[in-house]
Amino acid sequence: MTLLWLLLLPIVGGLLAWVSGKTGTQLPRWISVLALALVFGLTLQVWFQYYSEIDIFTEQAWLIEFERDWIPQLGISFYLALDGLSLLLIALTAFLGLISVVVSWKEIQYRVGFFHFNLLWILAGIIGVFIALDLFLFFFFWEMMLIPMYFLIIIWGHEDKRYAAIKFFLFTQASGLMMLVAILALYFVHGNATGVYTFNYNDLLGTDISASVAMWIMLGFFIAFGVKLPAVPVHTWLPDAHTQAPTAGSVVLAGLLLKTGAYGLIRFVVPLFPEAATQFAFIAMILGVVSILYGAKLAFAQTDFKRLVAYTSVSHMGFVLLGIFAWNDLALQGAVVVIIAHGLSTGALFILAGGIQERIHTRDMDRMGGMWSTVPRMGTVAMFFAMASLGLPGLGNFVGEFLVLIGTFMENILLTVIAAVGIVAATIYSIWIIQRIFHGEPRETWEMPDLNIREMVVMVAMMLALLWIGLYPKPILNTAKPALDILQRGVEEVRMVEQTPVPDPRNEMQIFMSINQLHKSDH
Amino acid sequence: MYDLLWLIPFFPFLSAILLVVLGSRMPRAVNGAIGAGSIGLSAIITIIIGINFLTSPPEGHSYTQVLWSWIDVGNFTPAISFHLDALSLVMIFVITFVGFLIHLYSTEYMIKDEGYARFFAYMNLFVGAMLVLVLGDNLVLLLLGWEGVGLCSYLLIGFWYKKPENGYAARKAFVVTRVGDIAMLIGIFLLFMHTGTIHIQQILDMAPRIWVEGATIPVAASLLLLGGALGKSAQVPLQVWLPDAMAGPTPTSALIHAATMVTAGVYLIARTHVIFELAPAVMTIVAVIGLVTALIAGFTALTQTDIKRVLAYSTISQIGYMFLALGVGAFAAGMFHFMTHAFFKALLFLGAGAIIHALHEEQNMFRMGGIRKDMPVTFWTFLIGCASLAAIPLVTSGFYSKELILWKSFSSQLGSVWFYIFGALGAFITAVYTFRMVFLVFYGEKKTEISHLPGTRILLTLVVLAFFSTVAGFIELPHTMGDFTLFSNFMASVLPSVPVLEYSLGTEFLLQLIATLLVAVGIYIAYVLYVKNPEAVNNLTASPAGQGVYTFWSIGWGFDWLYDKVFVQPVIFISRINKQDFIDSIYHGIAFATEVLHRLFTKTQTGKVRWYAMVLVAGAIIVITLAVLL
């Protein structure tokens, strides 16, 4: 039932917020805060309970399951399940969700009830994506995230909102369609082979698919998740959507929506198609490296603060893509930490950008500069998140990126070295943000208040979270570990069975796996 | 007693946080007391632990304190844990002790600055990060300190953020050192991949067992680590950031040059010396880079007019000597020079700060002069610092440490007579530029009036540092003067002494004599050129050849120019092109094509029945024709 509550709370909360919007602007906000606080509390409660018994869960795939028949004739069920990976992502969703409500407190004054309805339904869709383990249900939630997000951008967005919203919608719809086709193809392949037609993830694992078909189906999933991630060259919706969305929209987009793509890669692409994913790994890793460098390169060139941060997201998510397809325990753990840390650091930068826009009504960095003396608190906070973003050790992003790189190094030295150049690039764009906004000569005189208590509470919470991940990531690593172990083990088993006698020299992952095995037996 | 170890980096961090959060709400006196007091506390604990270490050393001459497990994935298990041995003890002593004096000085020096609390917060963070760097028992924790130091240098160099050129200098320091850091990062990955551990001591224990001398992995790993060291320690070709780092407040320069930051590279190589020893070719590269850096920076220092830039180039040059020592395997000698250098370089920078403050923030030495009577304490202490830098025999600490390096560069198995010759040449140049500075600043006629005399805290700091700049050398005396080797004995548990070739005492004495004479000649030349006959310099630089050389040297041998053309301009170019992201135009193209087709087809929707009938007939004819033909 816990899993159902995780979904129902934001769904019902959203409806209540919409209805209560007629009474004024305050009630919807408080209802949203309450609903999300309950989700967050529930998640923490599950986490604590689970964490004390962590050793038990090394064999069992799911911590909590919830299954009801939905359309049994077609093998569709209402199947929710939670493991450590989903738990972490839901905790992040609830945390950033709460923050999005708080940062919209003053910014959103128009159709407040409907705004919170959309926000909560996006979050419900995201939570659904993280726990739906029936592929049909998964697709349902996947679509459920998009429509309210579209409204969020087109109703409460900035000057170019129509263009951005439609672009966002088209990209995600087109790619979602590919995923739908892929899901159906998998459903029929599995049904034809076994006679059991089902959308259940557990049953579909290990489906025997011929190599070429597997590759096509895998690509269908990969493209859908790659667009969400986003990976170059399907990233171009992101800068527009980020820039035009209201602050809460940007936070949810960067912090959560992108993460559904990463989650999909970890949960579905590699485990469902281990062979095809292995063959494709090298290309995916190259796409990851290209995203890291190309995103950073485009970030240099921007003058719009939000657009710059949006491109840095492309760069950071490149690390996630790289880590997932390196597919060893270091790189995977790293990818999970990047997912969480990037949600916090980039979310915070978007909040700062929103805060500045609220105060001086521009995002153009050419008109800023020297603002430290006017708003020292904001400057200090921005410095902190810029440092997190460039991967300063001691903050969360470092742990993730370091683990991704060291894990990738075991698979492919050259790609790691090129990706590491991205760290220098990150240094340049991060300190460039500080220089252009807070340091130097003021280009225009702005009178503006410093961060108020509400904003400081949000910022301090995010800073503490990043410091915690940076200095003591163990709870996160431990929580993700059983889930990742099980995923890795499943992939390994399939590979063992289907391994051809002559190992493919291109297939570096397999070679590494066997080396890894040797290492493990040494210890 | 050793379990107090964690407090040493803890106090600076705690006070940095306090100052950031509450700094603006507290009076200056409190900010200063917290800022300097925290480092003082760390220094006291360091001294207590140090005395303990000397009287009753821990088992195996090292002590490790594990605070908590940091990351734990497979066999990648870095912890937040500190490792104390002779090497880290010397480092933390210098960092906290010299660091404290610099902080004490700053409480007076920075008193009028509006960013007083912010300044101390950054300085404390700097010291804390450096302490973590030298105490970290694994490469990841070392990296945390390493990057933290880089961040703090960025923050402090750009401390006066309103001036764009300060921001530029700060960014340059951060980016250049981070380029080196990438190499180091890859080096760490490589070591982890081949040893399966990230703990420094385990790697060092394992290295000689799994690799033979000259094997690929230790060569590659040591080269990569060297890349990081070159960046942080401002050695050729990554030295370009340090001279510009002068943009920060003067105490910051003292901290960067003496106690933190630039010595990190020296520490890294000393700490991982086992890996370097397995790569003799890399050792030679280290020595050559050190020597080349020492000379290039020395010649550049000869032509600078800004007193702080002279000191900056002298640091680069002196670190070059430390690299020379490391490269010939004289690790303890390198650390010895690090320690003496910390005292006299902190003294020189702080002295320069007092002078600059006194002369209306004037930094150009050619607009100073004749102030030795008015500022006697500053003059004498500065002179002591300069004597040490120039290695005047017997009475200065710099003499003992530099002589040791020169001797080892000649006598070590990895040494060579050429190392000695160029090293001695460097000592000669050092003497010239150092005393050029002394004569220009303190002698001759007064060119700027003194506006403000330094107060007690500044003078006290200078006197204490002058004292240590003199006596610190006596803990290690050469064979010709009693062969007293307290320092290298102490370091022996971590840094083994180099195997040296046998030479007679006579040879050693002769070499010392030559170096000493060179120093004397250097000082005399400076005296002639800048006191007795200043016209000579002008004549020299006025000649076409002299002018060319002068310009070449004064711009630091054109490295900045070269890097601007090779790296900076291309990066700016790349960031300018494709601002709009050409990939997006593909999608715009698709959208456009769709729209065009849409327009095209709407044209056919005219509502005229005749037209529809015509198209119908035409279509039917085409279909029938095709059916017939095919």
Side-chain angles (χ1 to χ4, degrees), chain A residues 464-481:
Chain A
L464 289 178
L466 275 175
L467 268 172
W468 169 55
I469 303 171
L471 291 175
Y472 190 60
K474 225 178 161 187
I476 289 175
L477 299 174
N478 281 352
T479 308
K481 188 177 182 336

Side-chain angles (χ1 to χ4, degrees), chain B residues 12 23 147 230 289 310 411 468-469 541 558:
Chain B
E147 298 290 342
L230 294 180
I289 287 179
V310 174
S411 67
F468 279 94
S469 298
T541 51

